[in-house]
Structures are given as C-alpha cells and as structure tokens.
Amino acid sequence: MRFAVSGAGVRDLVLLHGHHANHTWWHRVAPLLEPCWRITRLDFSGHGDSDHRDGYDGSLWAEEVRAVAEAAGVERPVLVGHSMGGRIALAAAAERPAGISGVITLDTALRPPGAAFRFGWHPERVPRVRATKAEALGQFRLAPDQPEPAEEILAAVAQASIRQVDGGWTWKYDQRGLPGMRREYVEERLAALPVPVCFIYAERSAIVGADTIAYLQSIPIAGGVEIVEMPGLHHHLILEDPVRCAELIDEHATRLFS
C-alpha cells in the first residue's frame, strides 16, 4: 500500500480518491489544508502505486483505510472521499465508528439498496500498452467527461496515472476490472451510521442528481447529514476548483471535530 503523511496540524484528515484514480487527484487540495491539518493520502490496492490483488471489493478497501490509518498513527480522523472514495469512507466509518470523527463526501453517487450494479472481472485481460509516454499521456481523459481543469493541474494527474512496462506505457490501475463499491454495502449501513456526514456535491455532476439528494434526505442517518451544493462545478470538482473544495473541507471538518 502506498501512502504518505504531510501537514503541520494536530488533527487528522484522510483523503480517499475515486475509481481508477490515485492520490494525486488531491495534489492541489492537500497543500491548502496542510497548515492546519495532518493529511494522510493513500492509493487503494489496484490503483496508483499500490500493488494489485487477485480481486477487489468495498470491504477490502475499507479495511485498507483502517490499516493505513493505524500505520500512520492517525487518531479519530475525518475521512474525506471523492466519488467512490466517499462510499469507502462511509463503509469504513460504519464498520468502526468509534475511531472516526466524521465523514465528508465529495460528489459521491448513492442509490437505494437493490439499484442496478455492474461488475466485470476479466482475469485474462492484459493491459493496453501505448508505444510512447507521449501517446499514453495524450490518451488520458477524465471520466465521466467534463470541461478539463487547468492544464498544469491535469498534467500532474496524467503523469501519475501511467507507468512504463515492456513495450511501452500503460495505466497504473488494474485493467482486469475494479468493482467500484457495491451500493448495498454502503446504503444498508447509512441509517445506522453514528458519525456525522457532510455530503458535498457538484451542481453539474454527471453522477449525482436530484434522485441522490432525495434519497439522502429520506434516510434518518443517526449521526446526522448536511448536504452542500457547489454551484457551477462538475464531478471532478477537486481538480476543477481545489481552492473552494479545500475551504469547504476545512470548514466542515473543523465543525465535525468540535
């Protein structure tokens, strides 16, 4: 497991990336938080610079959060997750709430139990290799599609998302298939979640819509939930406007600690 700790604060934030992503999605947000917070960033297995496994599921990734927190000496953190990382944060908090101060999710898709879920695992699949680094970088795209963030922000993420292999360059994430976070694993636990949750979403998100907000409002989450809209932004909001995201994380994490 690849993880790193930075920052000058005495309170802990653990930043969790999304599906097919890695820790560099936070590369503009984390420095803005470091003066007041101790920041732990990690790559889930099958992502970034962490090893690959012969299979993945949400409970495994939630356990990785706990293992990294223990290895880093993290105490009662606020878990902050983007997209799939938000679902993993909720699952980790539900499993061991005594060690968590709260959860902040950023544009995390949530659906009622029983909603359709697609999973594909292809152990025979081999990574798609590009001949040159430039060709691989040229193929990098955010998914779902949205207006690209500033070039210097996206370039750092693209560089950290590819690796050299025999014959060229390929993506770091496990191309045999990553299951995401099974919806039922999270949603069935939401109502009993005893820690407070702040659900931040992008107004122009391709994955969070009115149905998600209505669903959240229908659940009597034990620890309470606050829903915050970020006007004008899209799914990859932490790349699109890292300053506004850092401000919201700091504001709400401070409140969760108080």
Side-chain angles (χ1 to χ4, degrees):
M1 292 294 300
R2 180 267 175 214
F3 73 93
V5 181
S6 61
V10 296
R11 301 169 300 174
D12 283 295
L13 297 178
V14 179
L15 306 184
L16 308 175
H17 65 75
H19 197 233
H20 287 182
N22 57 66
H23 70 279
T24 56
W25 256 253
W26 299 102
H27 78 104
R28 286 300 182 95
V29 173
L32 300 174
L33 296 168
E34 287 169 354
C36 298
W37 296 91
R38 185 172 181 262
I39 307 294
T40 300
R41 290 187 290 166
L42 63 108
D43 288 338
F44 294 116
S45 59
H47 296 77
D49 295 321
S50 289
D51 286 346
H52 294 183
R53 299 182 185 270
D54 289 326
Y56 308 89
D57 62 52
S59 61
L60 173 66
W61 283 326
E63 180 59 35
E64 290 176 359
V65 173
R66 294 189 292 269
V68 166
E70 182 178 347
V74 171
E75 296 184 359
R76 295 195 57 80
V78 171
L79 303 180
V80 184
H82 172 240
S83 194
M84 182 188 78
R87 296 196 293 279
I88 295 172
L90 291 167
E95 291 292 336
R96 296 187 187 176
I100 305 297
S101 293
V103 174
I104 298 174
T105 68
L106 292 104
D107 217 61
T108 291
L110 296 172
R111 301 289 187 274
F117 177 79
R118 293 184 300 172
F119 167 69
W121 177 249
H122 307 280
E124 75 288 350
R125 182 181 292 168
V126 297
R128 186 173 183 180
V129 177
R130 306 290 181 176
T132 66
K133 184 177 183 180
E135 183 183 357
L137 291 173
Q139 293 295 315
F140 182 82
R141 298 288 187 276
L142 294 177
D145 186 44
Q146 68 173 67
E148 289 193 353
E151 182 178 355
E152 66 273 14
I153 294 177
L154 192 62
V157 171
Q159 289 276 354
S161 299
I162 62 173
R163 61 187 175 94
Q164 192 169 17
V165 295
D166 291 342
W169 294 78
T170 191
W171 308 121
K172 286 183 177 179
Y173 69 81
D174 194 334
Q175 295 171 56
R176 294 174 297 174
L178 292 166
M181 189 73 176
R182 187 170 60 87
R183 288 170 180 157
E184 289 86 347
Y185 184 81
V186 178
E187 278 76 343
E188 289 173 358
R189 292 162 170 78
L190 274 178
L193 190 65
V195 302
V197 176
C198 178
F199 184 89
I200 299 171
Y201 72 100
E203 177 194 14
R204 299 181 181 178
S205 171
I207 69 167
V208 176
D211 57 339
T212 298
I213 304 307
Y215 173 54
L216 265 178
Q217 291 171 335
S218 73
I219 304 172
I221 296 176
V225 60
E226 182 175 4
I227 301 173
V228 180
E229 180 187 74
M230 294 193 73
L233 297 186
H234 303 77
H235 177 61
H236 294 275
L237 65 174
I238 57 177
L239 298 176
E240 193 173 16
D241 197 334
V243 174
R244 289 169 65 192
C245 287
E247 290 172 347
L248 271 181
I249 292 169
D250 178 66
E251 175 189 343
H252 291 282
T254 298
R255 189 178 305 162
L256 294 175
F257 260 106
S258 60

